[in-house]
Amino acid sequence: MAASSCGLSEDQFVCPICLDVFTDPVATPCGHNFCKNCITQHWAVNIPCKCPMCKEIFYTRPELRVNTLISQMAALFRQTQPEAKRNNSERTCGTAEDVSCDVCTGTKLKALKSCVVCMASYCETHLEPHLTVSSLKKHQLIHPVENLQVRMCMKHDKPLELYCKTDQICVCVLCMILDHKRHNVIPVKKEYEEKKAELEKTEVEIQQLIQRRELMIGQLKHSVEVSTERANREKAEGLQVFAALKEPIDRGLAEFIETINNKHRPVEKQTKGLIEELEHEIFDLVKKSEELKQLSCSEDHVLFVQTFSSLKDAKDRTDVSIRQPSYKGTVAAAVAELKEALNKEIQMFFESELKRVQQYATNVTLDPDSANPWLVVSDDRKQVKFGQVNKNLPDNPKRFSYYASVLGKNSFSSGRFYFEVQVEGKTKWDLGVASESVNRKGQITLHPLNGYWTVSLRNENEYKALAESRVTLNLKSRPKKVGVFVDYEERVVSLYDVDTASVIYSFTGCSFTDKLFPFFNPCNNDCGKNSAPLVICPIQNLKLTQLYSRIKNGINN
């Protein structure tokens, strides 16, 4: 049955990858068909496997089997359409503009082929000799193109049939003899085949580059999504904190205004009463004044004398002053109360924050193999101090050879962790975390660029954060216990004064490239003033405490 008679088109038998009629057609689970070799090669360079048409990802490579029905129909279509493959090839390579026949004298017909030997294009009629004459059959025919003269050597007027690999240009036979005699010259066709193979390899590499960039785009989008989620979560927490801080401000303002009003209200009330009394007295005095005017017109001597005596008695007022309340210090008192309230809220926030990081408490122990020979590590590996002698210990790669330092046994390359160290009684120390790859031999500088994120104490009360530039820390009190918290993903190292629940210092935007270890430096004895050890403190697991509390409450209820 001919393909045309069954209403099937060429597109129904064309592989979407090679754009040729199917060879060993197979179907992916999503329902799209490809040549078996095409989809196999495509998946060899594109990981994870996904359909080139609908982009559906297959995390497990599907098992492909040839569809015999489609294979038979494709073969039948190929027989009934002998020009299909050629037309498809021309379509994939792109169609040039219509080229006219160079032989036609009248109306120029459309050329079907161009001869690279004759350097001319021919229509169907004038192409006939190249298809029938033996000598012309050897000529190379190509898809019709214009400007065939560019395929001729401008110097010798000969076809450019050779390629000089030395100079990387196309040459003719005479060029090879005269100008490129000692050069590496090969047929153009061979160079074409080599470049074609290189082109296929380059295309595979480009597909791999595209795949890598698609993965990068996915990673970047995921990073943005993670950052957006964290930003929104942080903003939500910040809004709660600032709302809690704003509440005492609003309350303090309302109380301040009420205090002022309470002082002003009696003055206003007293003044209003006095004004009413004075207005009433004015009314009486005006009335007396009118009566006196009328009396002045009277000629009745007896009535005048009797009435005048009763009208002339008008008392004066001297007690109209108002005692002003004192407003001085009201604002200062309100601000002092507000400061106390804010300090309580801030303290509650820091205590809550400390409890949050304490949930990541880790059972940290010291690594004696990394301890400087002057250090004494306790048997339970929870304490370290500067000793009296320099012990003769193996100088293994892990050991600090110059500074009195030691690392924790535990290492961390992801997530969050927290530990606490008692520093009471010491005049100097260094605490924090260090990268696995830090220099441990000779003199070292505690610096983030060297893989150290630490805070130091010197001279009993001089605290510094050993950041990229030294930061002097003005602490309200001397910490007795220091908490160290690390968020590997957020690239944060924070040190806390456990007793006051305040942040001593936070390193942000840290560059973590390998494992992190707790870092301890008890420093030398300082003539006996610094003999106290650094002690890793046990931390009660808050999660277990909360769970135990819920279980206990459930039993009691």
Side-chain angles (χ1 to χ4, degrees):
M1 181 183 296
S4 57
S5 63
C6 63
L8 297 176
S9 66
E10 176 184 353
D11 292 339
Q12 293 173 283
F13 296 96
V14 172
C15 171
I17 296 178
C18 66
L19 301 179
D20 203 351
V21 179
F22 285 125
T23 301
D24 295 334
V26 295
T28 58
C30 57
H32 294 104
N33 298 305
F34 306 92
C35 296
K36 184 176 182 180
N37 188 51
C38 291
I39 191 64
T40 301
Q41 291 182 357
H42 179 77
W43 284 346
V45 296
N46 291 275
I47 301 173
C49 302
K50 63 180 178 180
C51 175
M53 298 296 291
C54 65
K55 308 302 181 185
E56 181 177 346
I57 296 176
F58 310 115
Y59 294 99
T60 302
R61 179 175 292 192
E63 182 180 354
L64 302 175
R65 295 183 179 180
V66 176
N67 189 317
T68 54
L69 177 60
I70 297 180
S71 180
Q72 293 171 1
M73 293 180 69
L76 179 61
F77 182 84
R78 188 180 290 107
Q79 294 173 2
T80 57
Q81 300 289 334
E83 295 296 319
K85 184 174 182 179
R86 177 179 61 81
N87 292 338
N88 181 65
S89 176
E90 292 174 356
R91 181 170 64 253
T92 59
C93 294
T95 56
E97 296 181 359
D98 291 343
V99 179
S100 300
C101 177
D102 292 327
V103 182
C104 291
T105 56
T107 302
K108 295 285 188 179
L109 298 179
K110 181 180 178 181
L112 291 182
K113 290 289 183 180
S114 294
C115 177
V116 297
V117 178
C118 302
M119 292 297 158
S121 300
Y122 303 101
C123 65
E124 184 177 4
T125 301
H126 295 116
L127 182 64
E128 184 65 23
H130 279 77
L131 301 178
T132 56
V133 179
S134 299
S135 59
L136 296 179
K137 283 183 178 182
K138 297 179 181 180
H139 290 190
Q140 182 182 356
L141 299 176
I142 63 173
H143 187 66
V145 294
E146 293 181 341
N147 301 323
L148 284 167
Q149 60 271 19
V150 300
R151 292 164 175 77
M152 296 290 290
C153 177
M154 298 182 65
K155 184 176 182 181
H156 304 109
D157 197 26
K158 296 288 184 182
L160 299 173
E161 300 174 323
L162 302 172
Y163 182 78
C164 177
K165 297 180 75 68
T166 304
D167 294 334
Q168 297 185 354
I169 58 172
C170 293
V171 298
C172 67
V173 175
L174 290 179
C175 288
M176 178 187 70
I177 297 173
L178 298 175
D179 302 325
H180 302 266
K181 186 175 182 180
R182 300 183 182 278
H183 292 183
N184 182 11
V185 179
I186 62 174
V188 170
K189 184 177 181 181
K190 183 177 180 182
E191 179 66 16
Y192 164 80
E193 292 172 349
E194 291 179 0
K195 287 290 191 290
K196 191 71 177 294
E198 185 179 340
L199 175 67
E200 294 175 356
K201 179 182 178 181
T202 302
E203 186 172 355
V204 170
E205 293 174 351
I206 289 175
Q207 291 299 325
Q208 291 176 338
L209 293 175
I210 292 173
Q211 180 68 21
R212 292 193 191 103
R213 279 156 179 76
E214 288 178 346
L215 290 174
M216 290 178 184
I217 290 173
Q219 292 171 352
L220 290 173
K221 289 182 177 179
H222 178 67
S223 297
V224 171
E225 292 173 356
V226 171
S227 178
T228 301
E229 180 182 352
R230 289 177 177 175
N232 290 337
R233 184 171 62 247
E234 198 68 21
K235 284 191 288 187
E237 293 178 359
L239 286 173
Q240 291 180 351
V241 172
F242 281 98
L245 294 175
K246 185 175 178 293
E247 193 274 333
I249 294 176
D250 293 340
R251 184 177 65 249
L253 177 60
E255 292 175 353
F256 166 74
I257 293 174
E258 183 63 22
T259 300
I260 297 296
N261 288 339
N262 288 339
K263 290 185 176 183
H264 172 69
R265 200 174 288 118
V267 174
E268 191 176 45
K269 184 177 180 181
Q270 183 182 3
T271 302
K272 184 178 179 182
L274 287 173
I275 290 173
E276 289 177 352
E277 289 181 13
L278 291 172
E279 287 176 344
H280 182 71
E281 291 177 1
I282 289 172
F283 178 79
D284 291 341
L285 290 172
V286 170
K287 183 178 178 182
K288 284 186 177 184
S289 177
E290 291 296 329
E291 291 177 352
L292 286 172
K293 288 179 181 180
Q294 292 178 6
L295 182 62
S296 65
C297 298
S298 175
E299 295 180 358
D300 187 340
H301 299 167
V302 175
L303 178 63
F304 180 91
V305 173
Q306 292 176 342
T307 305
F308 180 79
S309 299
S310 63
L311 291 177
K312 76 170 186 177
D313 296 332
K315 296 180 179 180
D316 194 10
R317 292 291 299 260
T318 58
D319 55 341
V320 293
S321 62
I322 301 295
R323 183 179 180 182
Q324 292 291 339
S326 175
Y327 298 103
K328 188 176 181 180
T330 307
V331 176
V335 172
E337 291 182 7
L338 176 60
K339 180 181 179 182
E340 184 178 354
L342 286 175
N343 286 338
K344 289 181 179 179
E345 290 290 340
I346 293 172
Q347 184 63 25
M348 289 174 60
F349 166 75
F350 283 125
E351 289 175 357
S352 174
E353 180 69 10
L354 181 59
K355 289 180 180 179
R356 183 184 69 83
V357 301
Q358 284 178 332
Q359 294 182 7
Y360 302 99
T362 304
N363 183 24
V364 171
T365 57
L366 299 171
D367 182 8
D369 291 337
S370 67
N372 179 278
W374 281 98
L375 296 182
V376 177
V377 177
S378 63
D379 293 339
D380 62 357
R381 300 182 180 180
K382 290 290 186 177
Q383 300 185 27
V384 60
K385 65 179 181 179
F386 198 87
Q388 300 297 325
V389 294
N390 186 357
K391 298 185 290 296
N392 185 18
L393 298 175
D395 187 18
N396 63 67
K398 296 171 60 177
R399 192 178 306 284
F400 287 90
S401 63
Y402 188 83
Y403 283 103
S405 303
V406 61
L407 296 181
K409 187 72 173 178
N410 318 63
S411 66
F412 306 90
S413 57
S414 63
R416 304 177 179 93
F417 65 94
Y418 174 85
F419 60 95
E420 292 180 354
V421 182
Q422 179 180 309
V423 297
E424 186 176 9
K426 297 191 65 62
T427 59
K428 51 185 177 180
W429 47 257
D430 299 317
L431 280 176
V433 293
S435 295
E436 183 179 29
S437 58
V438 294
N439 176 31
R440 310 183 191 192
K441 306 301 178 183
Q443 296 189 17
I444 57 177
T445 301
L446 301 183
H447 191 282
L449 294 180
N450 296 333
Y452 294 93
W453 294 267
T454 59
V455 167
S456 72
L457 166 66
R458 295 292 185 271
N459 301 323
E460 297 189 21
N461 58 5
E462 295 177 5
Y463 295 90
K464 289 185 179 181
L466 306 183
E468 293 186 4
S469 59
R470 297 294 190 260
V471 180
T472 299
L473 305 175
N474 297 316
L475 305 184
K476 293 181 179 180
S477 60
R478 294 182 59 186
K480 297 179 180 179
K481 188 184 296 183
V482 175
V484 181
F485 171 70
V486 176
D487 189 326
Y488 200 97
E489 278 70 29
E490 292 287 349
R491 300 182 298 170
V492 172
V493 177
S494 297
L495 287 87
Y496 294 83
D497 181 341
V498 177
D499 293 326
T500 62
S502 58
V503 178
I504 297 175
Y505 188 79
S506 285
F507 297 86
T508 58
C510 304
S511 179
F512 301 143
T513 56
D514 54 9
K515 295 178 181 178
L516 295 179
F517 290 81
F519 175 81
F520 309 84
N521 183 3
C523 299
N524 58 42
N525 283 337
D526 194 16
C527 300
K529 292 187 293 183
N530 192 44
S531 59
L534 291 175
V535 182
I536 301 174
C537 305
I539 306 172
Q540 190 175 22
N541 193 308
L542 299 181
K543 292 182 178 179
L544 292 178
T545 302
Q546 293 168 358
L547 178 61
Y548 173 77
S549 178
R550 288 198 297 269
I551 294 174
K552 184 178 179 180
N553 292 336
I555 294 174
N556 293 336
N557 293 334

